[in-house]
Amino acid sequence: MSEQNDDDENWLEEEALDVEKSSEGNNKWRILIVDDELDVHAVTRLALKNISFKDQDIEIVSAYSGQEGFDVLAKDPDICMVLLDVVMETENAGLVLAQRIRDELNNDLVRIILRTGQPGQAPEQKIIVDYDINDYKLKTELTAQKMFTCVISSLRAYEGLKTIEANRRGLDKILQAVNNLYQLDSLKELASGVLTQISAILNFGTEGVLCVMRPATAGVEEVPMVIATIGQKITLQEQDLLPDSHPWTPAILQVFREKKNLFSPIVDVFSIIAAHGQQFAVAFAPARPLTALECNLLDIFCDRIAAAFDNLEMFELLKTTQEATVIALADLAESRDATTGGHVRRVCRLTEAIAKELNALNKLPPKTHTNFLAFVGIASILHDVGKVGIPDAILLKPGQHTPEERVIMQGHALIGETVLAHASASVPGVSSLSIGAEIAGGHHEHYDGNGYPRGLKGEAIPLSARIVAVVDVFDALLHSRPYKKPWPLADVLIYIKERSGTQFDPDVITALTNFLDSEKPDWIIAEGH
């Protein structure tokens, strides 16, 4: 045996050196020695001195009992390898710690190398089978070269597991982010959500902006428009054109031209191209250069987001088509009663505003469908669609109705409900037609049960109908009709409030007054007041 090999075999007998101070940097491989013998710590440090792996040095952390080792691992999840003695404060302290690391700390990544000077206390075959450890070594067989091999192979295995875990977490975040984003029903909300989720995927705060390329029009070239921003330092305004003077503009324009991602010292820009042809660019300034893993994850995320933008485009198309159909039906009914003017359109806007105010006040019923806020406004346009079945002589009568005529006039509620319920049957789920049927049949019901056509009471009346009941009367009193002059706003509010709890839902009246006080909308009073 050569002199060098003799030195390798006898390294455990060499004099231990002073313990080196730990570096404050966190870009080192952190190895924990758990052993109750001081000499083992010192000599292990000597053996691993000046060893590096993938340009990262090794940092040694020491613990002198099983409990102390557990405490270190509980506080420091970045320990990548444990050199663990078996016999310490008890004969099986090391085995207990190995089991606690896996079961209590749920740490399946750290590599555990069991070292023992008393193999009889822990037979290798039994230990390897019964405990989740990664290697078993006798202290007497660990030469410097074998220690080096053991450490490097363990670090390589740990790095591979960390990469797999990082990919798994990143993909989990992408799946969660995409699922959340698919639930958003406006381009602005979707764009803001994309920026927020990118920050979450990268796991650090970032400044960012999402732009869409506005199509060219007559005499105007294509130009990026800002949809959403994130971060305190971003000075861009949403819905504005991207200014030429902004430092990110050249990079964003380059991505729009080349339709591929771009990484630069000041900004990273990802390209998103939806199937319907619309092009988006996500620009952000990360706190540090992105790793290859992060770039790959963002590539996957952007691919999925392209589908989300396509989904939103289809949703908007269907919603627009549905709105056009609803408005056409309302116009058909309104064409027979020209004196109502823009009544149904004001009812639409005010119904939507009150529904949002109820939501802000947490007054929506717990089981309210997610589509309610999206559809209740447009559905309210159909509240009087049943008037198409009322004879002109009664519908257009300028004076008061006789009792017989009033009964016929009241029939428009059930007519409208029946027509819309039949139409909504062909549309699965909650739609503007199904909500419209509720409104048509219930907006003349009274909160105390004295309304028509069924005499429903309180929350038995659909919320959509309770809202429109207030809005319909509010707008009718505020504007002229063949049988009355317009009322002043103050008088209308007095009339509405006096009927709180009898004719009208008190929560809806509160939402109405809150909206009028906070927003002071000028559109509630149109020509003819």
Side-chain angles (χ1 to χ4, degrees):
M1 184 177 293
S2 67
E3 183 178 348
Q4 177 64 42
N5 286 338
D6 288 338
D7 290 339
D8 286 344
E9 292 291 336
N10 298 324
W11 70 273
L12 283 170
E13 300 174 4
E14 295 176 3
E15 181 179 357
L17 300 181
D18 292 337
V19 175
E20 298 174 321
K21 293 183 179 180
S22 296
S23 169
E24 294 181 357
N26 57 6
N27 59 339
K28 294 186 176 184
W29 303 104
R30 294 171 61 77
I31 298 177
L32 174 63
I33 304 172
V34 185
D35 202 299
D36 59 353
E37 297 182 31
L38 295 175
D39 287 349
V40 171
H41 287 264
V43 183
T44 303
R45 288 175 180 274
L46 177 64
L48 299 180
K49 184 179 180 181
N50 299 325
I51 291 179
S52 64
F53 175 60
K54 293 195 172 181
D55 297 324
Q56 289 181 228
D57 293 332
I58 289 175
E59 180 179 345
I60 304 296
V61 180
S62 289
Y64 299 93
S65 68
Q67 183 58 48
E68 188 179 349
F70 180 84
D71 293 340
V72 170
L73 286 159
K75 295 177 181 178
D76 189 349
D78 293 327
I79 298 292
C80 52
M81 178 180 177
V82 180
L83 294 168
L84 178 60
D85 190 15
V86 175
V87 183
M88 291 179 285
E89 65 265 38
T90 62
E91 291 184 351
N92 66 342
L95 300 179
V96 171
L97 176 56
Q99 190 164 2
R100 294 185 72 192
I101 291 171
R102 303 306 191 200
D103 296 344
E104 295 183 33
L105 298 180
N106 295 314
N107 188 339
D108 296 320
L109 299 180
V110 64
R111 303 294 86 194
I112 301 176
I113 310 301
L114 207 62
R115 297 195 297 179
T116 182
Q118 304 176 47
Q121 293 292 116
E124 179 175 356
Q125 187 171 359
K126 178 175 174 58
I127 296 303
I128 287 291
V129 171
D130 294 346
Y131 294 87
D132 184 5
I133 63 174
N134 305 107
D135 208 345
Y136 181 101
K137 300 290 185 184
L138 298 178
K139 291 181 179 179
T140 54
E141 72 176 353
L142 275 175
T143 65
Q145 184 58 48
K146 287 183 178 180
M147 174 64 79
F148 174 84
T149 302
C150 176
V151 168
I152 296 302
S153 61
S154 296
L155 294 180
R156 181 174 284 113
Y158 175 81
E159 181 189 40
L161 290 173
K162 286 284 284 186
T163 300
I164 293 171
E165 177 65 12
N167 272 293
R168 184 193 65 78
R169 287 198 307 268
L171 291 173
D172 281 347
K173 287 182 178 180
I174 288 174
L175 290 174
Q176 182 179 358
V178 171
N179 181 57
N180 292 338
L181 293 174
Y182 266 85
Q183 298 175 17
L184 301 178
D185 59 3
S186 77
L187 182 58
K188 182 179 178 180
E189 286 181 338
L190 180 56
S192 297
V194 168
L195 293 176
T196 301
Q197 296 300 342
I198 284 177
S199 182
I201 290 171
L202 297 179
N203 204 29
F204 56 74
T206 185
E207 311 292 328
V209 59
L210 192 147
C211 297
V212 61
M213 182 61 79
R214 191 178 71 175
T217 56
V220 180
E221 298 180 352
E222 285 187 328
V223 60
M225 176 178 289
V226 177
I227 304 177
T229 63
I230 188 173
Q232 298 298 320
K233 298 179 182 178
I234 294 296
T235 58
L236 298 172
Q237 297 297 316
E238 296 175 5
Q239 307 304 324
D240 280 354
L241 301 181
L242 184 67
D244 293 337
S245 58
H246 196 277
W248 293 2
T249 298
I252 293 173
L253 289 174
Q254 182 177 340
V255 167
F256 276 123
R257 287 195 306 270
E258 299 178 0
K259 294 181 174 57
K260 64 180 182 180
N261 302 336
L262 181 147
F263 304 95
S264 72
I266 64 169
V267 63
D268 295 334
V269 189
F270 279 78
S271 174
I272 302 175
I273 302 177
H276 63 273
Q278 199 164 29
Q279 189 178 1
F280 303 87
V282 183
F284 53 92
R288 54 170 172 74
L290 299 182
T291 64
L293 172 60
E294 288 168 338
C295 289
N296 289 337
L297 288 174
L298 288 177
D299 265 335
I300 296 171
F301 179 65
C302 289
D303 285 343
R304 301 286 76 78
I305 290 307
F309 280 113
D310 284 326
N311 181 70
L312 179 60
E313 175 78 5
M314 182 61 68
F315 175 81
E316 289 293 337
L317 178 61
L318 293 174
K319 186 178 178 181
T320 301
T321 302
Q322 191 175 57
E323 288 178 358
T325 303
V326 168
I327 291 172
L329 288 172
D331 284 344
L332 177 63
E334 191 175 329
S335 66
R336 301 184 60 229
D337 187 6
T339 59
T340 59
H343 170 67
V344 293
R345 288 165 176 78
R346 291 190 300 273
V347 167
C348 173
R349 294 182 68 177
L350 193 52
T351 297
E352 190 172 77
I354 290 176
K356 290 179 179 178
E357 188 67 32
L358 287 170
N359 186 45
L361 295 172
N362 293 318
K363 292 295 185 178
L364 293 183
K367 295 183 179 180
T368 300
H369 195 278
T370 53
N371 286 345
F372 179 80
L373 291 176
F375 291 137
V376 68
I378 193 68
S380 69
I381 290 178
L382 297 170
H383 69 281
D384 276 339
V385 72
K387 287 182 178 179
V388 296
I390 305 301
D392 286 349
I394 296 175
L395 178 66
L396 305 179
K397 184 177 179 179
Q400 294 290 333
H401 292 120
T402 66
E404 294 78 13
E405 290 172 337
R406 187 176 299 112
V407 171
I408 296 173
M409 188 67 183
Q410 291 177 351
H412 80 276
L414 286 178
I415 294 173
E417 179 186 45
T418 302
V419 170
L420 295 175
H422 179 74
S424 69
S426 61
V427 181
V430 175
S431 67
S432 59
L433 293 175
S434 63
I435 297 176
E438 293 178 349
I439 294 171
H443 75 288
H444 287 294
E445 300 285 2
H446 287 190
Y447 197 71
D448 62 3
N450 291 318
Y452 68 88
R454 296 183 176 90
L456 299 178
K457 182 178 180 180
E459 294 186 1
I461 307 168
L463 176 60
S464 57
R466 281 180 271 148
I467 296 173
V468 175
V470 173
V471 173
D472 188 30
V473 172
F474 175 84
D475 189 80
L477 293 177
L478 205 56
H479 296 84
S480 62
R481 291 294 173 89
Y483 50 86
K484 60 170 282 294
K485 293 182 179 180
W487 289 22
L489 176 59
D491 292 347
V492 173
L493 290 175
I494 291 173
Y495 180 92
I496 295 288
K497 291 176 182 178
E498 286 177 344
R499 285 154 180 77
S500 176
T502 54
Q503 184 174 350
F504 304 125
D505 182 343
D507 288 339
V508 175
I509 294 177
T510 299
L512 170 64
T513 55
N514 284 359
F515 171 71
L516 296 177
D517 291 342
S518 62
E519 300 298 326
K520 296 179 173 55
D522 57 2
W523 48 263
I524 61 168
I525 301 177
E527 292 182 7
H529 175 71

